[in-house]
Amino acid sequence: MTSRLVIGRVSGHMGVTWPITSRDIIEGSRLQPGCVRGSEDRRPHGRPHTGVGSGFHETRLCQKSATSESGRHVEKVMPEDTFYFTILRNPISQMESSFSYYKGYGDFKKAKNLEDFLNNSKIFYTNTDRLTNLAKNYMTFDLGFELNGSPEQSVLTWHAMDHIFDLVLITEYYDESLILLKDALCWSFYDVLSIPLNSRSNNSKKTLTLETQEKIKSWNNLDWDMYVYFNHSFWNRVQTFGVERMEDEVKELQKIRTLMSEKCLEDEVLNPKK
């Protein structure tokens, strides 16, 4: 029997890598050459985990990726063939979300709104508050890099991530990301099946002007450059996978999700007081 550990993150609104391990992988699923396999004939018994694929059993080993100091300590105890993956989000929606959640904290605390913060960042941004990372280049920081690094360091960041991560997912293309993850690990649809949980309503999201969006890109330049780079490599990977094949598999995943959602949420609808 051969085993291989899978570490990554597939849910949540931030760019941090929180390790998620599959118990089947740890216990030693039989592998095909070049692949990590779960049980192809496994189906969820009872309710699958929500928010994380039914084949996943979450284990948080550290709050930073393999690029951080804590991540490097984790890497030392991981097998050499460990599969690492992470997920990125468009920095524009990322910052709008961050300000909405944390507007009463850290560098956001004194700003009237997001536009006020961006227009007066020299006043509000301290780079000393313990929550400073929320206000600028949040994904860069959470991946273990310097959040106030120079643009030249962006290229070094990309190369480091390319070296560390086997796959970088994109939040805006979540289903396509899960299909690529499924393919990379030779898993079934049920292994990456997830049901949205505690999703933010569209009514609570603020529509940003083009001017504000451009200011967010400029302010979070390292995050934006990283996102553009890996969004491009993501779609290159989709092309290699096959565009029509991707469309078909996304439809199948969404079909299974709908069926499982109806089954899993049935009791909540029938017995709302429980």
Side-chain angles (χ1 to χ4, degrees):
M1 298 291 286
T2 306
S3 63
R4 186 181 180 190
L5 190 62
V6 179
I7 293 183
R9 175 177 175 276
V10 293
S11 61
H13 89 287
M14 298 302 183
V16 64
T17 301
W18 278 346
I20 298 174
T21 62
S22 170
R23 181 176 299 168
D24 286 336
I25 298 301
I26 296 174
E27 290 178 350
S29 298
R30 196 174 296 276
L31 303 179
Q32 289 185 347
C35 288
V36 182
R37 294 185 62 88
S39 300
E40 288 295 337
D41 59 349
R42 183 174 71 254
R43 294 294 180 268
H45 299 288
R47 295 189 178 194
H49 297 280
T50 55
V52 179
S54 59
F56 288 108
H57 299 267
E58 186 173 6
T59 303
R60 294 186 178 182
L61 302 179
C62 63
Q63 284 195 323
K64 297 290 178 65
S65 76
T67 60
S68 69
E69 185 63 29
S70 57
R72 283 189 287 271
H73 286 302
V74 172
E75 190 176 17
K76 290 179 181 179
V77 300
M78 294 295 105
E80 290 186 2
D81 63 347
T82 297
F83 184 97
Y84 292 92
F85 68 95
T86 190
I87 188 167
L88 300 180
R89 180 180 180 179
N90 189 316
I92 296 174
S93 61
Q94 169 80 63
M95 188 159 194
E96 187 279 327
S97 179
S98 293
F99 187 87
S100 176
Y101 277 104
Y102 301 107
K103 58 187 176 183
Y105 302 92
D107 292 342
F108 291 148
K109 191 173 184 178
K110 296 181 180 180
K112 297 177 182 179
N113 49 47
L114 180 56
E115 287 77 7
D116 185 33
F117 174 83
L118 292 168
N119 290 334
N120 300 283
S121 57
K122 291 183 179 180
I123 298 175
F124 297 126
Y125 184 71
T126 63
N127 196 27
T128 57
D129 190 277
R130 66 184 183 86
L131 297 178
T132 285
N133 59 291
L134 296 173
K136 186 177 185 181
N137 291 319
Y138 188 36
M139 292 189 294
T140 297
F141 174 84
D142 271 337
L143 285 164
F145 300 101
E146 172 55 50
L147 62 87
N148 286 299
S150 65
E152 290 73 21
Q153 289 179 291
S154 292
V155 178
L156 297 178
T157 299
W158 307 337
H159 287 310
M161 288 181 64
D162 271 335
H163 177 73
I164 293 167
F165 294 106
D166 298 278
L167 179 62
V168 177
L169 314 181
I170 302 294
T171 300
E172 286 70 34
Y173 305 103
Y174 190 65
D175 287 345
E176 289 85 352
S177 293
L178 292 181
I179 296 301
L180 290 182
L181 182 64
K182 177 183 77 72
D183 180 67
L185 302 176
C186 299
W187 284 351
S188 71
F189 287 103
Y190 290 91
D191 290 316
V192 295
L193 182 63
S194 65
I195 298 174
L197 185 65
N198 296 328
S199 298
R200 187 180 172 202
S201 66
N202 290 327
N203 292 334
S204 67
K205 299 177 183 179
K206 182 178 179 179
T207 301
L208 304 176
T209 64
L210 291 177
E211 181 182 3
T212 298
Q213 293 181 41
E214 290 302 318
K215 288 180 179 179
I216 291 175
K217 292 179 186 178
S218 177
W219 178 247
N220 296 279
N221 61 315
L222 300 183
D223 274 7
W224 179 252
D225 289 344
M226 178 170 60
Y227 178 80
V228 170
Y229 176 84
F230 283 102
N231 185 60
H232 180 73
S233 64
F234 176 87
W235 287 106
N236 283 340
R237 194 154 182 162
V238 171
Q239 288 288 339
T240 301
F241 180 84
V243 176
E244 291 186 7
R245 179 187 172 194
M246 175 61 74
E247 292 174 351
D248 291 341
E249 295 211 11
V250 165
K251 290 179 181 177
E252 182 64 19
L253 177 63
Q254 293 173 344
K255 177 182 176 181
I256 295 173
R257 179 185 294 131
T258 298
L259 293 174
M260 292 304 298
S261 295
E262 292 173 354
K263 177 181 178 181
C264 294
L265 301 179
E266 181 178 7
D267 287 346
E268 306 299 328
V269 175
L270 296 177
N271 304 292
K273 294 183 179 181
K274 283 190 176 182

